[in-house]
Amino acid sequence: FASPGSILSVFASSLGSQDQLNGFPATSLLGVTVTLNGTPAPLFAVAGTKNQINLMVPWDAPASGTVDVEVTSPNGSSAAYSMNLEPSAPGIFRVTDPSSPSRRFAVALFSGSAWLALPSATAAALHIATNCTAGHVNKRSACGQPAKAGDILEIFTTGLGLTVARNNPAAKPLSGAQLAPANGDPLYATVLSPSVTSGGAAAEVLFSGAAPGFAGLYQVNVVVPGSAPAGDAVPVRITMPNGLNDTWTRPARPGPD
């Protein structure tokens, strides 16, 4: 499933032998286009060497039903394939532990910082600082440490559907390949409100919306619940009102710093 505003990868052959990895919001890169019901999608990248196209589903795409997806390149056009669209279809972004590729964690930042909620060993494997608070690491510097109850985390995901200017339900949703303002004025909140659990415990959701200045990227700001368990693999689940959800893990530690 996908939804308006989702980031997707499409895999196709005969895209050529070149790569262009930075093109958004162009709808044609290296002569390659992807259409949804005949409407060109904005492209992030075309990697002919990997047979991969990265794109964003336009905000104006249907919020339910199916669309026909067709890829065209200098070598010809594909058949049209059906893709299911939903009002929301969450997908949490992950970071892989280089020392143990089977371990992957939700991409979650401590609010207002560049600090990742990660086990210290994983942060060390990524060659970033650990024990951010105790080490007095600048909040704009990369760092990683486990979260604890009461911490506010920004969980990054895609596929949360349409967004509108916060506190203004009469405002028009973002359209086409439009981005929420990079300065956050205004913030664009999701029309549909997610629920979040951490280790099965309900987490308070402070904000759900488009990450300012980014395409297809959403953030869900939550308070780590006091009843969440400790450990290096605490499941985090984001569930949308249409029933679709995604689950991944975050590390947690008990008690204060």
Side-chain angles (χ1 to χ4, degrees):
F1 296 104
S3 67
S6 291
I7 296 173
L8 298 181
S9 292
V10 174
F11 294 89
S13 60
S14 302
L15 298 179
S17 59
Q18 295 182 320
D19 300 338
Q20 185 171 341
L21 305 180
N22 186 7
F24 188 88
T27 55
S28 179
L29 296 178
L30 302 176
V32 174
T33 62
V34 181
T35 59
L36 282 65
N37 280 354
T39 300
L43 306 179
F44 294 105
V46 170
T49 59
K50 301 292 185 182
N51 296 324
Q52 181 173 341
I53 309 163
N54 295 342
L55 59 90
M56 187 185 94
V57 178
W59 295 112
D60 305 315
S64 63
T66 61
V67 293
D68 288 333
V69 180
E70 187 173 348
V71 176
T72 300
S73 78
N75 297 311
S77 297
S78 72
Y81 292 90
S82 293
M83 179 174 69
N84 292 320
L85 290 180
E86 288 278 345
S88 61
I92 300 171
F93 287 99
R94 281 85 152 147
V95 59
T96 299
D97 184 341
S99 64
S100 180
S102 63
R103 283 164 52 93
R104 302 175 73 196
F105 298 93
V107 175
L109 296 179
F110 291 86
S111 182
S113 77
W115 302 349
L116 284 158
L118 290 174
S120 296
T122 302
L126 290 167
H127 305 291
I128 60 177
T130 61
N131 296 321
C132 318
T133 305
H136 305 291
V137 176
N138 186 296
K139 287 196 172 184
R140 292 187 295 273
S141 300
C143 189
Q145 67 179 24
K148 65 180 186 305
D151 284 335
I152 298 175
L153 298 181
E154 300 169 359
I155 304 170
F156 289 91
T157 179
T158 192
L160 301 189
L162 297 179
T163 63
V164 295
R166 196 176 190 185
N167 300 324
N168 186 1
K172 291 183 179 180
L174 295 174
S175 61
Q178 190 178 2
L179 307 182
N183 64 1
D185 185 18
L187 289 170
Y188 273 74
T190 53
V191 172
L192 299 175
S193 299
S195 60
V196 179
T197 59
S198 179
E204 180 184 2
V205 177
L206 302 178
F207 174 71
S208 169
F214 289 90
L217 182 66
Y218 299 76
Q219 63 184 77
V220 181
N221 298 358
V222 301
V223 180
V224 178
S227 55
D232 278 353
V234 178
V236 175
R237 172 171 288 191
I238 294 177
T239 303
M240 301 303 291
N242 62 336
L244 294 183
N245 65 76
D246 193 22
T247 303
W248 213 248
T249 57
R250 69 161 181 84
R253 62 184 180 194
D257 289 324

